[in-house]
Amino acid sequence: MGQEIHTIIIGGGPAGLAAAIRLGRHHRVLILEKEAECGGKLNQWDKLFPDFEDAKTVRQTLLQRLPENVTVQTSANVTEVAQESGKWKVTLQNGETHIAPTLLLATGFEPFNAIRKEEYGYGIYPNVITSVELESMIAKGEILTREGKKPQSVAYIQCVGSRDEKVGNHFCSVNCCICAVKQSIEVKQLLPQANQFCFYMDLRMSGRNYEERYRESQEKYHVNFIRGRVSETSVTANNQILVKAEDTLLSRPIKMKVDLLVLMVGMEPSPSTRQFAEKLGISDPYGYFVSQNSETADNATVHKGLFVAGSAKRPMPVPQALKEGEAAACEIAGYLSDNL
Amino acid sequence: MKSFGFNLKPTRTYDIDTQNDLCAEIAEKVPSFRQCMFCGSCSGTCSAATHVDFHILQYNILFRRGLQSEIADKLDQCMLCGKCGMVCPRGVNTRAMIMEIRKILSNHAK
Ligand code: SF4
Ligand code: SF4
Ligand code: SF4
């Protein structure tokens, strides 16, 4: 790139791409993506709640909208970011450096590692899987237990790795309630005979069509919602999972055997998010980025020229991450016109 | 057997796998049965519950979980006044639900 770059964006997921689409119209932008292709977690997802939009189509649309001024560098592993004489210097693993007056961190999240909730048996009992694994089964159109059978009963556990002091995460991951509703609908479409149970503490359905889909999952897809956090699981001789919880609306312990148990894993800051948050002193207690002001400067940080966007700040659904990227682009454009 | 002067209490845990699921049966007659979100508005407004030990939401859930034997004689205390249906935010036809549960239970008792 011969001319000076205005903005470096680390992370080519929804927030980073959305920011580049806006900024790239009038500024030169460089996206550094650590994976082999852009799209972030969209690449691991099949359909999006609530309209069952195809994640690949969303990703494709974003990539097509990138203006010419945007350069994308994939497999670019950023090891260091530092402020240097009023600019931001980014160093890659291969020693390459890039400098720009503004830097946007859109380094995203990673799914909670369910092995840490040992009482749910993930990694121990073969028929305990995560929502991420279920999503790829749904994408293939085939839901099978480890023994290769179609499950007759499926249970979902909400809030795995979220709202749980035991794993150090007090926060709600926002996306897992809606994900359970979405996946239980899709599973029922693929396995019309299956009985489904969803163990929840609260069902958080706060967007357009969210509550409607929840209602639909009950009315049309007969999902049984049971209020109570599963306390433990064990395995039976034929690899079914025995689930124990309190049916809190009856004040009575409940147990059941299911063929497949799905853990709705929460969202934690990605390793890069944690690393930069700590290095730059903008970390919240969990390792997410803290903006300058959550009301009036939610994409700026305490550092001049440094901006943050998307699920590296806190868990959020895809549409919000896209808006985040656009909002960050506005703040960056304003900063550039004031300072250049 | 030698008596030690105590015996074991039966477990309070209920095993949903061994219960008789009659949800499909009632939902066929009262489709709105599936719409319930267990908010408790019905119980809160119930004229019977003000005076006697009567919990319409609880009986609804016991029925859903297949624990019908526990509510067999309870629903008779309902006056079928319909107040619960007036407040239900999910449009459950609670009175029809109660009458239908009564019918199903008496049929199954036969
Ligand atoms: S979105 Fe739902 S499942 Fe996820 S942490 Fe929040 S309450 Fe729990
Ligand atoms: S119809 Fe029965 S359950 Fe409903 S408010 Fe009246 S007495 Fe209570
Ligand atoms: S008021 Fe309606 S939705 Fe609420 S618990 Fe009663 S029947 Fe269910």
Side-chain angles (χ1 to χ4, degrees):
Chain A
M1 207 183 264
Q3 289 164 300
E4 197 203 33
I5 313 164
H6 295 113
T7 306
I8 298 170
I9 299 178
I10 305 181
L17 290 175
I21 291 167
R22 295 275 152 188
L23 267 177
R25 291 184 190 159
H26 305 289
H27 301 90
R28 281 180 298 279
V29 177
L30 171 66
I31 299 180
L32 298 172
E33 167 56 51
K34 73 172 170 2
E35 300 296 336
E37 46 179 16
C38 282
K41 293 290 185 287
L42 281 177
N43 298 338
Q44 292 177 16
W45 228 245
D46 182 40
K47 299 267 165 34
L48 303 177
F49 188 85
D51 301 323
F52 297 94
E53 194 76 49
D54 187 16
K56 275 181 209 71
T57 314
V58 173
R59 174 179 169 270
Q60 226 30 58
T61 309
L62 292 172
L63 290 176
Q64 277 162 9
R65 284 189 191 159
L66 284 178
E68 265 181 23
N69 272 341
V70 178
T71 310
V72 179
Q73 193 174 335
T74 52
S75 307
N77 199 353
V78 176
T79 49
E80 241 179 284
V81 295
Q83 204 168 17
E84 222 176 76
S85 42
K87 293 196 171 182
W88 288 91
K89 183 175 158 196
V90 171
T91 311
L92 304 189
Q93 199 168 27
N94 61 10
E96 207 177 300
T97 58
H98 296 281
I99 292 182
T102 55
L103 173 63
L104 172 64
L105 300 175
T107 41
F109 74 98
E110 65 172 357
F112 173 79
N113 181 358
I115 285 178
R116 282 165 60 203
K117 279 305 278 179
E118 213 180 335
E119 59 269 45
Y120 294 156
Y122 181 73
I124 309 171
Y125 312 140
N127 287 320
V128 179
I129 63 170
T130 66
S131 45
V132 181
E133 288 161 334
L134 181 62
E135 188 69 20
S136 52
M137 288 189 190
I138 292 170
K140 284 194 214 108
E142 194 168 55
I143 315 235
L144 295 174
T145 64
R146 247 358 114 80
E147 293 76 39
K149 292 202 200 91
K150 285 188 179 167
Q152 294 299 304
S153 50
V154 182
Y156 303 82
I157 307 183
Q158 308 282 71
C159 302
V160 176
S162 318
R163 306 174 72 194
D164 185 357
E165 201 180 277
K166 292 287 184 287
V167 294
N169 293 337
H170 293 224
F171 59 86
C172 161
S173 290
V174 179
N175 291 292
C176 13
C177 271
I178 56 179
C179 179
V181 167
K182 178 193 95 95
Q183 293 187 332
S184 62
I185 290 177
E186 293 169 317
V187 167
K188 190 74 179 178
Q189 286 166 345
L190 290 166
L191 303 169
Q193 299 307 318
N195 285 322
Q196 300 197 89
F197 303 89
C198 180
F199 288 90
Y200 71 98
M201 295 195 285
D202 303 283
L203 283 165
R204 299 183 167 175
M205 301 284 150
S206 57
R208 185 190 55 85
N209 269 344
Y210 286 20
E211 183 71 15
E212 287 85 343
R213 282 280 181 270
Y214 159 40
R215 195 168 154 151
E216 192 181 318
S217 74
Q218 292 177 286
E219 283 177 45
K220 207 164 148 202
Y221 299 97
H222 306 176
V223 182
N224 291 297
F225 288 88
I226 300 178
R227 202 187 78 186
R229 187 179 180 110
V230 169
S231 31
E232 54 182 296
T233 64
S234 52
V235 74
T236 67
N238 54 355
N239 265 339
Q240 279 191 302
I241 308 299
L242 182 71
V243 176
K244 283 190 191 172
E246 167 85 352
D247 189 336
T248 59
L249 295 174
L250 290 181
S251 301
R252 195 171 321 170
I254 175 175
K255 65 174 179 184
M256 69 171 72
K257 289 197 278 302
V258 292
D259 295 335
L260 196 63
L261 180 66
V262 186
L263 309 182
M264 307 313 296
V265 286
M267 294 160 76
E268 289 192 325
S270 72
S272 317
T273 301
R274 279 179 209 273
Q275 181 196 337
F276 300 140
E278 192 187 350
K279 169 86 198 301
L280 298 163
I282 52 168
S283 178
D284 78 358
Y286 312 109
Y288 283 116
F289 295 139
V290 179
S291 61
Q292 192 181 359
N293 183 301
S294 61
E295 309 289 342
T296 54
D298 199 24
N299 294 101
T301 65
V302 289
H303 302 294
K304 274 189 78 168
L306 181 71
F307 299 84
V308 289
S311 58
K313 285 165 60 185
R314 63 187 86 102
M316 59 182 71
V318 176
Q320 197 183 334
L322 294 171
K323 304 282 178 300
E324 274 277 318
E326 295 181 356
C330 281
E331 284 197 49
I332 292 170
Y335 177 91
L336 287 169
S337 69
D338 288 349
N339 290 277
L340 285 194
Chain B
M1 205 170 81
K2 187 165 170 49
S3 168
F4 290 98
F6 61 83
N7 43 34
L8 283 177
K9 281 198 167 179
T11 176
R12 282 186 68 246
T13 302
Y14 73 89
D15 183 348
I16 206 162
D17 304 330
T18 62
Q19 308 302 328
N20 189 12
D21 186 352
L22 300 176
C23 292
E25 199 172 319
I26 189 166
E28 205 181 294
K29 299 271 166 49
V30 189
S32 61
F33 171 75
R34 295 217 193 258
Q35 285 165 209
C36 176
M37 60 173 169
F38 325 117
C39 68
S41 265
C42 47
S43 285
T45 197
C46 174
S47 356
T50 325
H51 305 288
V52 296
D53 201 15
F54 181 80
H55 312 276
I56 187 56
L57 168 60
Q58 200 186 57
Y59 305 154
N60 172 353
I61 298 174
L62 285 167
F63 183 86
R64 266 165 211 274
R65 305 281 193 262
L67 300 165
Q68 293 94 5
S69 60
E70 301 190 19
I71 55 170
D73 52 342
K74 300 240 165 80
L75 287 172
D76 296 344
Q77 296 191 68
C78 166
M79 301 177 286
L80 295 175
C81 69
K83 232 181 132 192
C84 48
M86 315 262 295
V87 297
C88 175
R90 278 284 185 97
V92 179
N93 188 346
T94 44
R95 200 157 47 162
M97 172 187 86
I98 295 164
M99 290 199 287
E100 205 50 51
I101 292 180
R102 280 183 184 176
K103 233 186 270 171
I104 290 174
L105 293 184
S106 70
N107 284 345
H108 280 265
K110 273 177 203 154

